[in-house]
Amino acid sequence: MSTVDDAVEQGVAVSRPPRLLARMMRQRQAKVGMVLTLAVLLVALAGPLLLPWLTGHTSTEFTGRPFTDTGMFGTDNLGRDVLSRFLDGGLRLIIYAALATALGMVVGVAVGMTAAYSRGRVDALIMRGNDVLLALPQLVFALLAITVLGPQGWVLVVVIGITHAPRIARVTRSATASVITEDYIRASEMYAVPRYKILLTEVLPNITGPLMVELGLRMTYSIGFVAALSFLGLGMQPPTADWGLMINESRIALVVQPWGVLLPVAAIAVLTVGTNLLTDSLARASANMNAGN
Amino acid sequence: MDRSYQVITRMIAKRLLVSLIILFIVSLLVFVATLLLPGDPAQAILGQQATPERLAALREQMNLNDPVFVRYFTWLGGLFTGNLGYSAATGGPVTALLADRIQSSLVLMGLAALISIPVGIIVGTFSALKRGRAFDNATTGVSLVLASLPEFVIGIGLVALFSTSVFKILPSVTMAPPGEAVWNYPVQLVLPTITLALVVTPYIVRMMRATMLEVLDSGFVEMARLKGVPERQVVLRHAVPHALAPVAQVIAIQLAWMAGGVVVIEFLFRYPGIGQALVDAVANRDVQVVQALSILIAAAYIVVNLLADLVGIFTNPKLRTEKAA
């Protein structure tokens, strides 16, 4: 697993992407997306570090009576400082989403490339298995797993990653299929380069465009997915500070204490819009590049 | 002509068979998942105080003494005869618990589809016709933003806007008395329906816009214009019908998505549908209900996806003549 992961990283660093990223960042849309994403990342990352110092409270400490307006944004349903909980609640969401996306990418890319490169019966077998997994709506699959395994962090990561994998595998397979008929692949085959090496050094660098678009898309979905499960009360468990859970806990009091809901909702909205703007401009850059060749 | 008919029939038969096999494997998956749960389902229903005789009786009634594969087929048969077992939380039969809820969810999804499909097609068409102008840019921007937002974020935004802070005109939760149909309280349906519609419409708009742009650039549209056909007729008679085919497939995929996506929205608005029931059942670890709902939603999802593929087969001339050519 780790070798494939390393190779993904390496492919991103050395080959075509610098040009792709440059094309992407030239679009205004991408700049806006970058600013939005970085702003939320900064809050989520700096929040837990600065916490007791900045607001005077930790995220789980009871500071007063419920729904008062002490502090900058008041207190929540149990009398905890809303701003502290907001600052502490983003990092876990983003890390879980990133881990789930990474897991889905590694599994999906490995499966998709293997399927496309082995062709024939193995390919058909893998892709039919894929179809079965695609036949369950992602959320239902996740809920089924949570019923059996209970709501825990690693369950979220694994379940979301696994439900992403078949979708990523499908994209990887079609991207790989269009590359493996090229002459340079046949040349490597003639030199008897081992299969896995051909996949990692010849195929992978040439499909980074579609894969990075897929990565962005899956990251956007993962963020919404982790947040939604916590919002349903089936993800992060109290008293953890988490944006999805915060929305669930505070929404009954939307009229009295709107900040407990509005801060995390706004943060999730800005983050997903940001990542999706980046993904969209990346897709445009990638499509233009292929059209240009 | 005859040959291409044969090809289509064979493709459809193959696709139907594949769907059936997938549904069978999914049912296995759902059943096996619940076997992994620790504890005795009969004990879970009756509680700790149950006498051994009652436990034995319930185990007999639930067929827990049978071998696993017999239980699987009993369960599978129950899916067709409407006997889905007993809820661990309420003790009542699952079928009775779900009948009203399925209806309520179908109402919600149906209303959302009725709104989003025409709106998506019309907005997408106008956007393509006004390519590069203010309306098009606004549509593209709004649909990109809406498509990135998780469904509960859209829903809460609407609640904040229309029922609490800014305008206080719409109820934010559904509170029909139990046993009464949801459509007796139309005002309570407004926000859940709009939320669901807002989630799926952007995809329809984007697809409609993209295919319309392609069609408007094509030769036959130019020909119609050169012949002096009025622009209105060029659009309505020549361009739109051609653009609809690929859009129909996107619409079907969106409808399939709704079967799962409705869960979060129902939970948000306390809407008494299957999604709400599923979340409650997962929280209570009510296995029989989770089983029944998962297989139900998966079946709906598979059937609508099958329809999407059939629409694709019927409307794509390349696919239709793939092997005949």
Side-chain angles (χ1 to χ4, degrees), chain A residues 29 128 131-152 167 220-221 223-229 231-234 243-244 247-248 251 254-255 258 261-262 264-266 268-270 272-277 280 284, chain B residues 18 21-22 25-26 29-30 33-34 36-38 140 144-153 156-157 159-160 163-165 168 203 206 256-257 259-261 263-264 267-270 278-279 281-283 285-287 290-291 293-295 297-298 301-302 305:
Chain A
Q29 206 186 3
R128 289 300 83 75
D131 285 346
V132 173
L133 289 179
L134 285 172
L136 264 183
Q138 275 184 290
L139 190 67
V140 173
F141 196 104
L143 292 181
L144 202 59
I146 291 169
T147 315
V148 177
L149 302 168
Q152 288 157 37
R167 291 161 174 86
T220 309
Y221 286 161
I223 295 166
F225 213 150
V226 175
L229 285 174
F231 168 70
L232 293 177
L234 303 170
W243 288 345
I247 299 171
N248 187 18
R251 74 196 167 112
L254 191 59
V255 187
V261 174
L262 293 186
V265 161
I268 294 172
V270 170
T272 50
V273 169
T275 52
N276 205 27
L277 282 174
D280 194 64
R284 277 167 206 244
Chain B
V18 169
I21 295 173
I22 288 179
I25 301 176
V26 167
L29 256 176
V30 169
T34 51
L36 299 174
L37 270 174
T140 312
L144 186 67
V145 168
L146 281 179
S148 16
L149 295 176
E151 54 270 46
F152 69 99
V153 168
I156 287 185
V159 168
S163 53
T164 57
S165 350
K168 296 186 180 171
Y203 296 94
R206 288 168 105 180
W257 177 87
V263 172
V264 180
F267 177 79
L268 168 61
F269 292 102
R270 297 245 120 228
L278 182 57
V279 174
V282 173
R285 290 200 154 192
D286 190 345
V287 178
V290 174
Q291 252 179 357
L293 281 173
S294 312
I295 196 76
I297 294 177
Y301 192 74
I302 291 170
N305 267 322

Side-chain angles (χ1 to χ4, degrees), chain B residues 116 146-147 154 158 193-202:
Chain B
S116 57
L146 281 179
I154 297 181
L158 290 179
T193 308
I194 294 184
T195 309
L196 196 53
L198 278 180
V199 178
V200 295
T201 311

Side-chain angles (χ1 to χ4, degrees), chain A residues 34-285:
Chain A
M34 187 63 97
V35 171
L36 295 180
T37 310
L38 285 181
V40 179
L41 283 183
L42 193 70
V43 170
L45 205 68
L49 293 176
L50 300 177
L51 202 52
W53 172 77
L54 199 65
T55 59
H57 303 291
T58 65
S59 59
T60 50
E61 169 189 351
F62 302 106
T63 64
R65 292 167 55 196
F67 305 127
T68 53
D69 49 6
T70 48
M72 197 187 274
F73 291 107
T75 55
D76 73 354
N77 59 335
L78 294 177
R80 295 165 297 192
D81 185 42
V82 167
L83 181 62
S84 305
R85 284 185 74 71
F86 171 71
L87 288 174
D88 199 23
L91 192 58
R92 231 169 265 109
L93 165 68
I94 292 169
I95 289 178
Y96 281 173
L99 285 177
T101 314
L103 177 67
M105 285 301 284
V106 171
V107 176
V109 169
V111 169
M113 287 206 310
T114 313
Y117 196 65
S118 30
R119 295 168 216 173
R121 206 168 285 170
V122 180
D123 179 21
L125 194 71
I126 293 178
M127 294 326 280
R128 289 300 83 75
N130 224 22
D131 285 346
V132 173
L133 289 179
L134 285 172
L136 264 183
Q138 275 184 290
L139 190 67
V140 173
F141 196 104
L143 292 181
L144 202 59
I146 291 169
T147 315
V148 177
L149 302 168
Q152 288 157 37
W154 69 267
V155 176
L156 289 194
V157 170
V158 170
V159 154
I160 297 174
I162 294 296
T163 51
H164 280 333
R167 291 161 174 86
I168 297 167
R170 201 152 65 165
V171 172
T172 311
R173 180 179 169 273
S174 68
T176 309
S178 66
V179 168
I180 51 171
T181 50
E182 302 277 345
D183 285 340
Y184 56 82
I185 303 288
R186 231 186 302 158
S188 313
E189 280 168 352
M190 284 194 323
Y191 285 117
V193 179
R195 272 183 168 200
Y196 76 94
K197 250 189 184 162
I198 296 184
L199 284 177
L200 293 182
T201 58
E202 305 291 339
V203 175
L204 194 58
N206 282 296
I207 57 171
T208 44
L211 287 191
M212 281 176 69
V213 173
E214 196 59 21
L215 177 77
L217 196 64
R218 293 302 149 198
M219 185 64 196
T220 309
Y221 286 161
S222 297
I223 295 166
F225 213 150
V226 175
L229 285 174
S230 297
F231 168 70
L232 293 177
L234 303 170
M236 250 72 87
Q237 295 299 306
T240 314
D242 170 76
W243 288 345
L245 192 60
M246 260 180 99
I247 299 171
N248 187 18
E249 287 168 342
S250 315
R251 74 196 167 112
I252 34 159
L254 191 59
V255 187
V256 209
Q257 168 46 296
W259 292 117
V261 174
L262 293 186
L263 284 180
V265 161
I268 294 172
V270 170
L271 181 62
T272 50
V273 169
T275 52
N276 205 27
L277 282 174
L278 284 175
T279 310
D280 194 64
S281 40
L282 185 65
R284 277 167 206 244

Side-chain angles (χ1 to χ4, degrees), chain B residues 21-101:
Chain B
I21 295 173
I22 288 179
L23 199 54
F24 175 70
I25 301 176
V26 167
S27 75
L28 268 179
L29 256 176
V30 169
F31 185 78
V32 169
T34 51
L35 285 181
L36 299 174
L37 270 174
D40 176 1
Q43 187 97 55
I45 293 179
L46 292 175
Q48 292 300 323
Q49 271 85 43
T51 59
E53 294 78 31
R54 287 195 62 196
L55 276 176
L58 187 63
R59 272 200 204 104
E60 188 59 41
Q61 195 188 345
M62 291 173 73
N63 306 316
L64 288 178
N65 299 325
D66 295 341
V68 169
F69 71 95
V70 174
R71 277 164 62 194
Y72 169 70
F73 284 107
T74 317
W75 177 70
L76 198 64
L79 287 177
F80 293 100
T81 55
N83 176 14
L84 297 172
Y86 296 87
S87 156
T90 65
V94 174
T95 331
L97 202 75
L98 296 184
D100 289 345
R101 290 177 171 264

